[in-house]
């Protein structure tokens, strides 16, 4: 399973944000994407997942050779793509538990398997509760999330770190083939960062998952070791290298990238 | 209670808004999935179409009613003919009283045992999912099929406690004095034109009497259903909760869909005596061709508590304003309602709290959803009379619009003749956000599922007040309502 992005151009409200992004994320491989504020990293992430606000004007996104461009976000999710969001959205009145149950069931195709006779029954499209509950409990323990959270409304009043943890909990249940983590590290304290990172590593190994880790900081990359590092600048990938690139960035900041660019012009 | 009909529905002056221009033909008979079906039933008796003294006399004779009830009906007929149609609220321009049948008897005699219920009717219940949701309560279910109860039975233990839970016809016969003492005492015959219509032609409905100090632990349930074309359904329900008693009555209804319009004008009167607690829960899902014009009112004595829990998903046009009249000191009233107006549906719903005594309090919470060209209006009236010191009222009104063309209007009326009161009003209008939809869809949920989840979340404060099986049913109805248009 490979996520392939070819010469992607994206505009938001008439303004071009992505100006030709090309990238291939293979299964089992970790890519880090680093770049200054406003350079378009989240735009890339949302576009890959199919947010309707982002208009693709040129380029192609392929998941295992199949184009995602005409697919809705849920179709992409069912094909194995996942996005841990930088700013997860709250939904009032919907418990984390019922949401996780519905999402897990949807991605695993329980709805598709509902026999015609049972259609319309509220629970017909859901994974059997006992089975789900057991798996959920294992994941909660694994990410050290208090089960009391399950009765809270989705992301409502969650602290920054709690939201990020809940995102990774979702990832653990949805078992994607390729996951994009948009600043999952921001908001996590040191202990939580280690715990969540280790969780991600275990999942990656279990699922042979391709990862695109968007971050500003080296610290998460100390735990999740990137095979490839990309520097993102003004809607493009301007540099690609190995993990050493992170150290260079950490030392010199993006000024170094900018100078490199102008020098090259 | 002599608050009679000068102001029509008792909601103060008619609003200035001209709603007649909003007229839309009740069209679009959509497939409403499993809730739209029809079971062939032999009607043992059917009145002629339309209104008249002959029809009133026929109904009364067929039911073997005492003279006082016939007189009551005839007087009400006069009132009905005499009274004007409401000129505000929803458009009733297409309503033609002559097109309906005002009485139908589904089976010749009332059934006491489930085994005696005809197969066709059982089949209908099956399709409605009643056996699933309510089988365990069947022994105590009061079920109304068309104009009359087909199945009615009472748990022995209730009888042992002196609780009366019967259909209204039986009550008129067997508890004549109690009925006579209460009928039209909360909703006067002349309260509004439809209350008068109901008083003249009523048929079916439940009668509940809970003696002082008795706590009815299991909710009393009635399942209403219109099952014949052009059938006017005029149930009349009276609930009396004596001092210190506690009762929860539930009515749910789904109706099949027909091309000709059907009329539902129920009247529900509840008497909450000193220190008693009554709750009336209803979820109506009439098909879109139904005119749903209901008058619900509770009179609450000192330290009593009345709760209306009111869900509206069906019918084409609805006018419904559950009311609490807080007559005794420290009486409390709560109205919690939801309305889901889909395409071609128009709700003019609301609530009314009348504070007549000191230290009374009311809480009105309304949640409405409008989809497509659906419209949902909310009228909340809070009236505090002179002397009702320290009365408190809170009105919260949240509207969720699903589409650009859907509408929601709020009309708060506050009328306080007392200074020392606290009345709060909050109203919000929101839309399903693109970001919420995207978030849920990115987790594999279809657009329809995602919308239904967001809507269920919006309705959660209402749903959590429902017994489990009704909560499940409501979620399912919301899902069906959503799947109707999305995808
Ligand atoms: N919906 C939108 N409407 C208008 N502008 C937008 C929208 N979304 C993104 N942009 C603009 O696109 C640019 C890229 O934003 P994006 O969120 O992708 O940056 P980022 O690289 O993720 O930044 P950060 O590191 O701060 O998260 C910014 O200038 C932003 O203001
Ligand atoms: Mg970002």
């Amino acid at each position: 399973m490979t996520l392939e992005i070819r010469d992607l151009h994206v505009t938001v409200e008439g303004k071009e944000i992505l100006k030709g992004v090309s990238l291939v994320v293979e299964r089992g491989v970790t890519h880090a994407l680093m770049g200054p504020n406003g350079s378009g990293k989240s735009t890339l992430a949302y576009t890959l997942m199919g947010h309707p606000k982002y208009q693709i004007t040129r380029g192609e996104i392929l998941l295992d050779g199949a184009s995602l461009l005409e697919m809705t976000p849920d179709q992409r999710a069912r094909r194995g793509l996942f996005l841990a969001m930088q700013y997860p959205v709250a939904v009032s009145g919907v418990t984390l538990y019922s949401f996780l149950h519905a999402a897990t069931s949807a991605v695993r195709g329980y709805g598709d398997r509902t026999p015609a006779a049972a259609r319309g029954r509220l629970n017909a499209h859901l994974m059997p509760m006992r089975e789900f509950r057991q798996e959920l409990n294992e994941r909660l323990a694994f990410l050290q999330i208090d089960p009391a959270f399950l009765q809270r409304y989705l992301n409502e009043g969650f602290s920054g770190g709690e939201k990020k943890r809940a995102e990774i909990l979702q990832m653990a249940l949805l078992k994607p083939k390729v996951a994009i983590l948009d600043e999952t590290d921001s908001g996590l304290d040191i202990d939580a960062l280690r715990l969540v990172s280790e969780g991600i590593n275990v999942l990656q190994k279990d699922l042979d998952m391709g990862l695109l880790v968007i971050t500003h900081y080296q610290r998460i990359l100390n735990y999740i070791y990137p095979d490839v590092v990309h520097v993102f600048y003004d809607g493009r990938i301007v540099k690609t290298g190995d993990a050493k690139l992170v150290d260079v960035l950490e030392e010199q900041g993006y000024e170094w990238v900018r100078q490199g660019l102008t020098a090259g012009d | 209670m002599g608050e009679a009909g000068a102001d029509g529905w008792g909601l103060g002056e008619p609003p200035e808004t001209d709603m007649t221009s909003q007229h839309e033909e009740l069209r679009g008979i959509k497939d409403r999935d499993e809730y739209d079906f029809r079971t062939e039933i032999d009607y043992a008796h059917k009145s002629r179409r339309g209104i008249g003294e002959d029809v009133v006399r026929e109904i009364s004779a067929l039911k073997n009613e005492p003279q006082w009830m016939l007189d009551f009906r005839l007087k009400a007929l006069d009132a009905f003919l005499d009274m004007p149609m409401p000129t505000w609220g929803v458009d009733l321009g297409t309503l033609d009283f002559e097109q309906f049948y005002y009485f139908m008897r589904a089976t010749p005699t009332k059934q006491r045992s489930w085994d005696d219920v005809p197969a066709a009717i059982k089949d209908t219940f099956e399709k409605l999912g009643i056996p699933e949701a309510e089988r365990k309560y069947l022994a105590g279910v009061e079920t109304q099929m068309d104009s009359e109860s087909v199945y009615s039975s009472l748990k022995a233990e209730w009888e042992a406690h002196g609780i009366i839970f019967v259909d209204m016809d039986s009550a008129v016969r067997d508890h004549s004095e109690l009925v006579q003492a209460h009928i039209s005492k909360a909703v006067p015959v002349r309260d509004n034109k439809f209350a008068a219509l109901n008083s003249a032609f009523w048929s079916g409905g439940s009668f509940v009497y809970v003696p002082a100090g008795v706590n009815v632990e299991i909710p009393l349930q009635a399942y209403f259903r219109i099952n014949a074309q052009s059938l006017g359904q005029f149930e009349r329900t009276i609930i009396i909760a004596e001092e210190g008693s506690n009762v929860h009555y539930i009515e749910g209804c789904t109706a099949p869909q027909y091309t000709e319009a059907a009329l539902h004008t129920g009247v529900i009167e509840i008497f909450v005596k000193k220190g008693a607690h009554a709750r009336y829960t209803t979820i109506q899902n009439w098909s879109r061709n139904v005119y749903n014009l209901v008058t619900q009112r509770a009179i609450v004595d000192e330290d009593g508590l009345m709760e209306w829990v009111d869900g509206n998903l069906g019918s084409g046009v609805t006018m419904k304003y559950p009311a609490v009249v807080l007559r005794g000191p420290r009486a409390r009233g709560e109205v919690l309602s939801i309305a889901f107006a889909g395409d071609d549906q128009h709700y003019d719903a609301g609530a009314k709290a009348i504070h007549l005594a000191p230290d009374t309090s009311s809480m009105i919470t309304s949640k409405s959803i409008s989809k497509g060209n659906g419209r949902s209006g909310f009228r909340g009236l809070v009236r505090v009379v002179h002397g009702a010191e320290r009365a408190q009222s809170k009105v919260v009104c949240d509207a969720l619009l699903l589409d650009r063309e859907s509408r929601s209007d709020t009309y708060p009326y506050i009328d306080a003749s007392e200074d020392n009161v606290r009345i709060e009003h909050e109203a919000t209008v929101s839309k399903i956000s693109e970001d919420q939809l995207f978030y849920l869809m990115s987790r594999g949920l279809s657009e329809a599922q995602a919308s239904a989840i967001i809507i269920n979340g919006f309705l959660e404060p209402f749903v959590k007040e429902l017994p489990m099986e009704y909560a499940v049913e409501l979620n399912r109805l919301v899902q069906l309502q959503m799947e109707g248009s999305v995808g």
Side-chain angles (χ1 to χ4, degrees):
Chain A
M1 178 72 56
T2 306
L3 174 68
E4 188 176 351
I5 304 159
R6 287 188 197 151
D7 190 30
L8 194 65
H9 290 253
V10 170
T11 59
V12 182
E13 284 162 19
K15 187 179 157 211
E16 183 164 63
I17 308 291
L18 300 188
K19 302 169 180 172
V21 178
S22 297
L23 176 68
V24 178
V25 181
E26 308 85 359
R27 284 200 85 162
V29 177
T30 302
H31 291 248
L33 188 72
M34 304 180 81
N37 293 133
S39 57
K41 304 179 298 297
S42 294
T43 301
L44 175 64
Y46 282 132
T47 305
L48 294 176
M49 203 68 226
H51 195 299
K53 221 183 264 169
Y54 300 87
Q55 300 288 315
I56 297 174
T57 51
R58 207 157 92 203
E60 181 57 278
I61 308 167
L62 302 164
L63 193 60
D64 246 9
S67 173
L68 295 185
L69 297 191
E70 296 303 314
M71 288 187 203
T72 53
D74 54 313
Q75 289 168 331
R76 299 179 197 210
R78 287 161 198 239
R79 285 194 166 237
L81 193 62
F82 182 84
L83 167 61
M85 298 197 196
Q86 184 176 2
Y87 304 110
V89 182
V91 186
S92 188
V94 178
T95 62
L96 179 61
Y97 176 82
S98 63
F99 162 70
L100 291 173
H101 196 187
T104 307
S105 306
V107 164
R108 296 189 191 176
Y110 280 88
D112 314 334
R113 277 180 255 142
T114 308
R119 237 167 257 149
R121 300 249 161 84
L122 189 73
N123 293 321
H125 60 285
L126 290 178
M127 182 175 170
M129 190 157 110
R130 191 182 288 269
E131 206 180 305
F132 172 70
R133 194 73 221 210
Q134 189 181 339
E135 189 175 333
L136 177 61
N137 286 341
E138 286 165 15
R139 295 309 187 185
L140 287 172
F142 173 65
L143 290 166
Q144 295 183 21
I145 296 174
D146 182 353
F149 262 93
L150 296 172
Q151 294 315 316
R152 300 253 316 253
Y153 294 148
L154 181 56
N155 291 324
E156 196 173 72
F158 285 23
S159 76
E162 288 164 351
K163 281 183 190 164
K164 296 304 171 72
R165 250 191 236 218
E167 292 289 288
I168 299 308
L169 173 64
Q170 291 169 44
M171 184 173 89
L173 289 164
L174 302 187
K175 300 182 180 166
K177 294 170 179 131
V178 177
I180 306 148
L181 309 180
D182 191 359
E183 298 198 24
T184 296
D185 52 343
S186 72
L188 291 175
D189 65 41
I190 296 161
D191 294 340
L193 180 68
R194 184 181 307 136
L195 182 84
V196 166
S197 302
E198 278 164 9
I200 293 168
N201 285 335
V202 171
L203 281 171
Q204 182 178 29
K205 212 184 235 154
D206 287 355
L207 304 170
D208 193 27
M209 188 165 56
L211 278 182
L212 178 61
V213 181
I214 298 171
T215 182
H216 287 290
Y217 305 105
Q218 186 177 18
R219 48 176 215 162
I220 190 173
L221 302 175
N222 291 336
Y223 300 107
I224 301 175
Y225 190 79
D227 301 298
V228 191
V229 176
H230 308 275
V231 178
F232 205 78
Y233 194 87
D234 191 22
R236 265 177 275 237
I237 290 172
V238 294
K239 258 190 180 31
T240 296
D242 60 15
K244 287 190 211 96
L245 198 50
V246 180
D247 302 326
V248 183
L249 271 181
E250 193 79 8
E251 266 170 45
Q252 315 208 12
Y254 293 109
E255 190 57 21
W256 162 72
V257 177
R258 209 158 57 105
Q259 280 167 5
L261 282 179
T262 39
D265 278 347
Chain B
M1 291 315 303
E3 43 156 296
D7 57 11
W9 292 74
L11 280 165
E13 289 300 302
E16 293 119 51
T17 331
D18 175 20
M19 295 197 179
T20 49
S21 61
Q22 304 294 334
H23 169 67
E24 277 237 18
E25 195 79 11
L26 284 174
R27 60 184 158 84
I29 308 302
K30 277 198 203 140
D31 176 23
R32 298 192 67 217
D33 208 337
E34 67 203 84
Y35 288 85
D36 282 337
F37 54 83
R38 180 179 182 175
T39 308
E40 289 303 326
I41 290 170
D42 288 331
Y43 286 95
H45 185 84
K46 204 167 166 179
S47 67
R48 70 163 173 89
R49 270 180 209 261
I51 279 173
E53 192 182 318
D54 58 321
V55 180
V56 170
R57 287 186 182 278
E58 186 187 5
I59 293 171
S60 193
L62 279 165
K63 291 174 182 290
N64 284 320
E65 286 180 347
Q67 185 64 37
W68 72 263
M69 183 45 82
L70 176 62
D71 295 342
F72 176 84
R73 288 179 184 274
L74 290 170
K75 251 177 80 182
L77 179 65
D78 286 344
F80 169 76
L81 295 172
D82 183 47
M83 290 176 74
M85 287 283 271
T87 54
W88 53 278
V90 295
D91 180 12
L92 298 171
T94 51
L95 182 58
D96 171 14
F97 290 108
E98 293 303 318
Q99 81 184 90
F100 304 110
Y101 294 102
Y102 287 82
F103 182 68
M104 280 180 165
R105 201 196 277 273
T107 48
T109 51
K110 228 154 36 67
Q111 316 291 323
R112 289 295 297 184
S113 137
W114 181 245
D115 289 340
D116 298 335
V117 176
I121 289 171
K122 277 186 183 164
D123 187 40
T124 297
F125 290 150
E126 193 76 45
K127 287 179 187 161
L128 280 173
I130 293 182
E132 254 174 59
E134 284 154 46
R135 189 166 272 158
K136 58 181 166 166
Y137 292 132
L138 261 181
V141 166
E142 167 79 13
T143 304
Q144 175 167 338
M145 187 80 167
D146 293 339
S147 300
E148 236 175 320
S149 300
V150 249
Y151 177 83
S152 163
S153 129
L154 203 70
K155 273 196 171 165
E157 61 175 283
W158 289 343
E159 277 169 356
H161 284 105
I163 297 162
I164 302 169
F165 177 29
V166 293
D167 65 277
M168 264 306 254
D169 290 338
S170 306
V172 168
R173 202 174 49 241
D174 302 335
H175 308 280
S176 189
E177 277 162 36
L178 268 178
V179 175
Q180 204 171 356
H182 290 88
I183 197 164
S184 80
K185 296 301 185 291
V187 179
V189 170
R190 300 188 71 95
D191 185 79
N192 64 76
K193 194 171 178 72
F194 296 99
L197 183 69
N198 174 284
S199 300
F201 295 97
W202 73 263
S203 193
S206 298
F207 180 81
V208 175
Y209 177 84
V210 185
V214 171
N215 177 22
V216 186
E217 276 159 26
I218 300 172
L220 306 176
Q221 312 203 30
Y223 222 93
F224 290 85
R225 181 164 167 73
I226 294 182
N227 198 52
Q229 203 161 355
S230 293
L231 171 64
Q233 175 114 354
F234 305 102
E235 95 272 13
R236 185 100 193 184
T237 288
I238 293 176
I239 297 172
I240 303 157
E242 289 288 4
E243 279 192 23
S245 68
N246 183 15
V247 62
H248 184 184
Y249 177 89
I250 304 179
E251 179 214 293
C253 39
T254 44
Q257 182 104 37
Y258 295 118
T259 49
E260 271 181 84
L263 179 60
H264 174 238
T265 70
V267 171
I268 292 109
E269 302 180 272
I270 300 184
F271 302 88
V272 182
K273 304 289 173 66
K274 186 175 168 181
H277 173 197
R279 175 183 275 217
Y280 183 101
T281 297
T282 178
I283 297 176
Q284 72 84 2
N285 185 38
W286 302 115
S287 55
R288 302 274 163 99
N289 57 338
V290 171
Y291 290 90
N292 187 36
L293 309 158
V294 181
T295 310
Q296 304 181 177
R297 193 168 302 155
I299 311 276
V300 192
D301 290 336
E302 66 180 289
D303 296 309
L305 168 62
M306 174 66 208
E307 296 169 293
W308 294 105
V309 179
D310 197 53
N312 294 285
L313 284 99
S315 83
V317 293
T318 294
M319 286 177 93
K320 190 176 188 183
Y321 319 91
V324 285
V325 179
L326 306 170
R327 178 165 73 176
R330 295 172 303 282
R332 286 183 295 151
E334 289 187 17
V335 183
L336 176 59
S337 67
I338 59 147
F340 192 150
D343 275 316
D344 304 324
Q345 288 181 287
H346 184 184
Y347 290 109
D348 195 272
K352 182 177 156 189
I354 313 293
H355 295 254
L356 301 178
D359 302 300
T360 46
S361 61
S362 61
M363 171 84 208
I364 293 169
T365 309
S366 151
K367 291 191 159 265
S368 73
I369 298 168
S370 314
K371 171 167 156 285
N373 64 10
R375 286 188 53 194
S376 111
F378 172 84
R379 275 168 224 284
L381 171 80
V382 177
R383 182 178 293 155
V384 181
V385 304
H386 186 68
E389 289 177 65
R390 298 173 301 280
Q392 291 188 22
S393 181
K394 185 166 183 184
V395 181
V396 179
C397 203
D398 297 325
L400 182 67
L401 305 180
L402 303 190
D403 301 281
R404 224 175 275 275
E405 69 270 38
S406 24
R407 269 188 62 178
S408 156
D409 310 284
T410 305
Y411 312 99
Y413 302 90
I414 292 168
D415 169 14
S417 313
E418 181 62 54
D419 292 334
N420 187 11
V421 297
R422 199 169 82 219
I423 300 175
E424 294 169 61
H425 180 89
E426 287 170 16
T428 65
V429 177
S430 53
K431 299 195 155 111
I432 286 195
S433 83
E434 194 176 49
D435 286 333
Q436 281 183 331
L437 266 184
F438 170 70
Y439 186 71
L440 296 179
M441 287 176 75
S442 78
R443 273 35 172 168
L445 299 159
S446 69
E447 188 174 350
Q449 282 177 311
S451 307
I453 284 177
I454 293 167
I455 289 165
N456 283 328
F458 175 77
L459 297 179
E460 169 69 8
F462 176 84
V463 172
K464 71 172 191 239
E465 293 301 321
L466 298 175
M468 176 69 170
E469 61 273 26
Y470 284 84
V472 168
E473 183 178 326
L474 186 81
N475 282 341
R476 192 163 139 195
L477 291 174
V478 166
Q479 189 106 19
L480 286 174
Q481 187 96 304
M482 290 313 298
E483 280 166 6
S485 73
V486 186

